[in-house]
Amino acid sequence: MGPRSDHCVLETELVFPPLNTRQRWLTRGRGLAASGLLPEVLRRRAGAAGGGRAGWGAGSRRPSGWATEQVTCSKPLQPQLCLPPLAWSLHAAAHRRSHSLGGPDRCGQALLQIGVNMMALPGGRHLDSIPLPGQRLHLMQVDSVQRWMEDLKLMTECECMCVLQAKPISLEEDAQCDLILAGGSGPGDPLQLLLKRGWVISTELRRIGQKLAQDRWARVHSMSVRLTCHARSMVSEYSAVSRSSSQEMGQIEKLLMEKCSELSAVTERCLQVENEHILKSMKACVSETLSTLGQHFGQLLELALTREVQALVRKIDASDNIYTTESTTGNLFSLTQEGAPLCRIIAKEGGVVALFKVCRQDSFRCLYPQALRTLASICCVEEGVHQLEKVDGVLCLADILTDDSHSEATRAEAAAVVAQVTSPHLPFTQHLSSFLESMEEIVTALVKLCQEASSGEVFLLASAALANITFFDTMACEMLLQLKAIRVLLEACSDKQRVDTPYTRDQIVTILANMSVLEQCASDIIQENGVQLIMGLLSEKPRSGTPAEVAACERVQQKAAVTLARLSRDPDVAREAVRLSCMSRLIELCRSPSKRNSSDAVLVACLAALRRLAGVCPEGLQDSDFQQLVQPRLVDSFLLCSNMEESFV
């Protein structure tokens, strides 16, 4: 019997690799399932009906040895009926029976055969044979979609292959705007649920704002509907896993969903309006609704995250089990990596207090590094530093740093906390009155840690703490001078195991630059051959070319020039610098923008150092260099060098 008139031919090439390569394709296909993109790909696959040939472009050559099937469906394909291969076969068989087609149906047999072939599993297992008609009757008693859902893990790879070869991926930006969660949250894991849903909703809000600015109303409406679905899913899923819901959260949830519905409704009305003046006024309404929705979402997310952080802090505070404390502290550290807002919540809810309680118990000594690492992350916000001072955290850090019974890893993490709370980039760290009381002990311990460091990471953390302390108080420079820190730092520069990156050299030259304001520093620099090291730092070059490393090299060059300028007050240092050809290197950095990565900060520092050296040893300069780089005003020399064009002849 021929096909009915309402039949459609789905012109999709279902391409299957040979058996010897199928397993490799199945393994590669898992990526879509793991990333959560499979449902979206299936949705687009359903929209491919009647779309013509796809999967292999015009003129492209299909790999040899691959089979191709043209599937004839018994009814027009509907978008909501997007079934997996096995479900297709069952659906076809059911439809054939419903129309009382006599004899074997080629379409049903073909689909059934496809369903069986695509059931190849990663372990090399295959269905033994095609089900007989009697067996098929039993299979059809189970809803095909339900059966597909049960077998989803086994069918995923096949679906990926089928879908990707059925329709080409669009290059248009809108085709990539659908956000699907990459796997669901585990049962009883409300934190991960909140973070995943929160990220998706935040991204959707931003994208809706972008499409609204472009007046793409169709996209604005479709994304508003999807935003409503995400918000409803977050509310319902969190309610299912959370312990209880407060009245305040319930009110905000209600306001959020009302605004979501309002946004969907008003954007739908905008689709029907063609008058530009009316659309302009409605655009302002949509923008206001979107802004209010974002505020409600932020409030709800903050309340929910606060509840979860409170639970974690209480768990750490009350636990005397090392494994429970380790797990909970790890969860808290993961939260700190989500940004400053979560660090503020943790600090406000007593996270700093609970972590220092862990660091004061000998039974938890093995957890000190993890707890201190979490504290360093929390102290990037003002609330964290204030909480640290309230619980005498500086004294605890000093005790850890000066206690040699602690492991090097523990002392390194304590140094990281010190570096964080003394950072010159954070204005609120300058008011740590308790730090001055323990500064001498801390500085002494940090110098010792630099001297004994067994790795570059430990040396970096300790030297970073020392560098920040030299900004924190000028007394620290005098302490470092008395502790012979210059010798320790310069010796470390020749040890590639400890000093192997521009980031570490950045910390060393920062300490030298801040110490060079002291007059007695010059003699120590000359005694330890420090001028030669500074000369080498002026030639710092990035290895990888990454922006962060290039910026670090610029800072090294700039601070090396500043150090040289300060030390050149001493004639002995100036003469040693001239002897080592420092003036030639400074002139090269001034005249060649590529040598300093076109950095204006490096240029200013080099001009200042060159003028200081020229004042002591003018005979080391040529007339042209003197007239252009030394004799004019500093700003004129800067403008001259910054506008220079390099010659490649």
Side-chain angles (χ1 to χ4, degrees):
M1 180 179 294
R4 291 173 38 160
S5 60
D6 61 345
H7 288 190
C8 73
V9 176
L10 179 60
E11 294 186 341
T12 298
E13 296 180 343
L14 300 181
V15 185
F16 308 104
L19 289 178
N20 58 346
T21 60
R22 186 179 304 164
Q23 301 304 322
R24 183 169 64 254
W25 275 84
L26 292 178
T27 303
R28 293 179 60 187
R30 293 175 190 162
L32 273 181
S35 65
L37 294 175
L38 180 59
E40 169 57 16
V41 180
L42 290 176
R43 184 182 67 77
R44 296 182 189 173
R45 168 65 177 82
R53 279 221 186 279
W56 298 101
S60 62
R61 192 166 60 87
R62 190 178 297 111
S64 60
W66 287 29
T68 302
E69 294 283 353
Q70 186 181 53
V71 182
T72 305
C73 301
S74 57
K75 59 187 298 185
L77 185 66
Q78 300 296 327
Q80 66 270 23
L81 191 60
C82 182
L83 305 180
L86 182 58
W88 291 344
S89 64
L90 298 175
H91 175 72
H95 189 78
R96 181 178 69 251
R97 291 171 184 264
S98 64
H99 287 281
S100 302
L101 297 177
D105 189 328
R106 292 185 178 180
C107 173
Q109 291 291 347
L111 287 174
L112 184 60
Q113 183 62 53
I114 292 171
V116 173
N117 287 342
M118 295 190 69
M119 282 294 288
L121 304 181
R125 294 169 292 164
H126 301 269
L127 294 185
D128 294 332
S129 60
I130 302 174
L132 299 175
Q135 295 172 319
R136 269 183 260 151
L137 179 61
H138 172 70
L139 291 176
M140 285 189 297
Q141 293 175 358
V142 182
D143 179 67
S144 57
V145 177
Q146 178 184 353
R147 186 174 185 83
W148 173 65
M149 293 295 291
E150 293 173 355
D151 296 338
L152 183 59
K153 292 183 178 180
L154 305 180
M155 305 287 288
T156 297
E157 298 88 347
C158 313
E159 287 295 312
C160 294
M161 291 171 58
C162 179
V163 169
L164 290 178
Q165 294 163 0
K167 184 177 181 182
I169 299 176
S170 173
L171 297 179
E172 188 180 354
E173 177 191 359
D174 290 349
Q176 303 173 6
C177 287
D178 297 337
L179 293 173
I180 307 297
L181 283 178
S185 300
D189 190 8
L191 265 175
Q192 289 302 315
L193 186 151
L194 289 171
L195 293 175
K196 288 181 180 180
R197 289 288 182 188
W199 178 82
V200 170
I201 294 175
S202 299
T203 306
E204 288 287 4
L205 285 169
R206 177 177 56 82
R207 288 181 172 176
I208 291 175
Q210 293 173 349
K211 301 304 177 187
L212 181 63
Q214 300 170 3
D215 295 330
R216 301 180 65 175
W217 292 105
R219 289 296 300 169
V220 169
H221 175 62
S222 64
M223 295 172 75
S224 299
V225 173
R226 189 165 63 244
L227 174 67
T228 303
C229 295
H230 283 307
R232 186 179 296 112
S233 297
M234 186 185 79
V235 170
S236 61
E237 290 173 7
Y238 181 69
S239 299
V241 299
S242 62
R243 288 161 286 280
S244 60
S245 179
S246 64
Q247 184 178 0
E248 184 180 8
M249 284 190 64
Q251 292 174 351
I252 297 179
E253 288 174 1
K254 183 179 179 182
L255 291 173
L256 175 65
M257 296 315 303
E258 287 177 354
K259 283 298 176 182
C260 285
S261 301
E262 181 181 338
L263 181 65
S264 299
V266 70
T267 53
E268 186 176 10
R269 289 198 300 272
C270 289
L271 292 175
Q272 315 301 325
V273 177
E274 297 181 358
N275 188 296
E276 293 294 332
H277 182 70
I278 298 177
L279 268 179
K280 189 175 182 180
S281 61
M282 296 183 74
K283 183 177 181 179
C285 177
V286 172
S287 180
E288 182 180 355
T289 303
L290 193 63
S291 176
T292 307
L293 191 155
Q295 293 175 6
H296 291 325
F297 167 69
Q299 293 171 356
L300 178 62
L301 189 60
E302 183 176 358
L303 278 176
L305 287 172
T306 299
R307 289 182 56 196
E308 299 306 320
V309 168
Q310 288 172 346
L312 285 177
V313 171
R314 285 196 300 267
K315 196 171 182 181
I316 293 175
D317 202 32
S319 174
D320 56 357
N321 183 286
I322 189 171
Y323 301 107
T324 302
T325 306
E326 180 183 16
S327 173
T328 312
T329 305
N331 291 337
L332 208 59
F333 174 75
S334 299
L335 285 180
T336 63
Q337 305 308 297
E338 298 296 331
L342 265 170
C343 290
R344 292 190 182 93
I345 293 175
I346 294 171
K348 289 179 180 178
E349 299 306 324
V352 174
V353 179
L355 289 169
F356 270 113
K357 182 180 177 182
V358 172
C359 292
R360 288 188 168 102
Q361 298 183 52
D362 288 340
S363 58
F364 290 149
R365 285 174 76 95
C366 62
L367 300 183
Y368 284 8
Q370 187 181 45
L372 290 167
R373 192 178 305 119
T374 308
L375 281 167
S377 299
I378 299 173
C379 289
C380 70
V381 297
E382 186 173 3
E383 294 82 357
V385 177
H386 290 333
Q387 290 296 319
L388 179 142
E389 191 168 20
K390 284 182 180 179
V391 298
D392 291 330
V394 174
L395 183 60
C396 180
L397 294 173
D399 291 339
I400 292 174
L401 284 169
T402 55
D403 187 352
D404 291 338
S405 65
H406 288 295
S407 65
E408 184 185 67
T410 299
R411 287 180 288 147
E413 295 297 344
V417 181
V418 172
Q420 183 65 67
V421 300
T422 56
S423 173
H425 304 293
L426 304 178
F428 49 81
T429 62
Q430 301 300 318
H431 307 290
L432 273 175
S433 57
S434 61
F435 186 82
L436 296 176
E437 301 173 4
S438 305
M439 186 170 67
E440 185 173 359
E441 296 178 359
I442 291 175
V443 169
T444 304
L446 289 172
V447 171
K448 184 179 180 181
L449 187 59
C450 285
Q451 189 172 14
E452 299 175 351
S454 62
S455 67
E457 182 181 0
V458 173
F459 186 91
L460 175 62
L461 293 174
S463 59
L466 284 175
N468 288 351
I469 292 173
T470 59
F471 286 106
F472 190 79
D473 193 272
T474 54
M475 289 174 54
C477 295
E478 297 177 1
M479 293 179 186
L480 288 172
L481 202 60
Q482 295 173 2
L483 294 169
K484 305 295 182 183
I486 291 179
R487 175 183 296 177
V488 173
L489 296 174
L490 296 183
E491 286 179 353
C493 287
S494 59
D495 183 0
K496 298 301 182 182
Q497 186 175 359
R498 287 186 289 171
V499 180
D500 57 347
T501 66
Y503 308 107
T504 308
R505 284 186 280 272
D506 183 18
Q507 308 308 319
I508 293 174
V509 74
T510 298
I511 298 171
L512 295 177
N514 288 339
M515 290 182 66
S516 62
V517 298
L518 303 175
E519 292 183 3
Q520 55 269 41
C521 178
S523 59
D524 287 3
I525 289 286
I526 294 177
Q527 185 178 354
E528 301 296 335
N529 295 324
V531 179
Q532 186 172 0
L533 171 69
I534 295 172
M535 173 68 178
L537 294 176
L538 287 171
S539 304
E540 186 73 21
K541 295 180 181 179
R543 295 179 183 175
S544 63
T546 60
E549 189 170 347
V550 169
C553 291
E554 291 177 15
R555 293 194 300 270
V556 170
Q557 289 181 327
Q558 177 197 2
K559 293 172 185 177
V562 169
T563 305
L564 188 60
R566 290 177 177 176
L567 291 173
S568 295
R569 296 189 308 266
D570 188 310
D572 293 336
V573 174
R575 283 191 288 270
E576 179 68 10
V578 172
R579 187 184 69 82
L580 293 172
S581 303
C582 284
M583 293 181 75
S584 300
R585 178 58 182 167
L586 290 171
I587 293 171
E588 184 182 19
L589 288 171
C590 291
R591 293 192 176 278
S592 178
S594 63
K595 299 296 182 181
R596 63 175 190 271
N597 196 40
S598 301
S599 170
D600 291 340
V602 176
L603 174 58
V604 171
C606 289
L607 285 171
L610 185 62
R611 288 166 180 245
R612 180 64 62 85
L613 289 175
V616 179
C617 302
E619 63 275 5
L621 282 175
Q622 297 180 3
D623 291 341
S624 60
D625 295 329
F626 181 80
Q627 292 173 4
Q628 294 179 352
L629 304 179
V630 177
Q631 191 175 30
R633 294 182 307 163
L634 181 62
V635 64
D636 293 334
S637 296
F638 170 79
L639 292 174
L640 175 67
C641 293
S642 60
N643 292 327
M644 280 183 175
E645 293 185 2
E646 294 186 70
S647 175
F648 298 93
V649 177

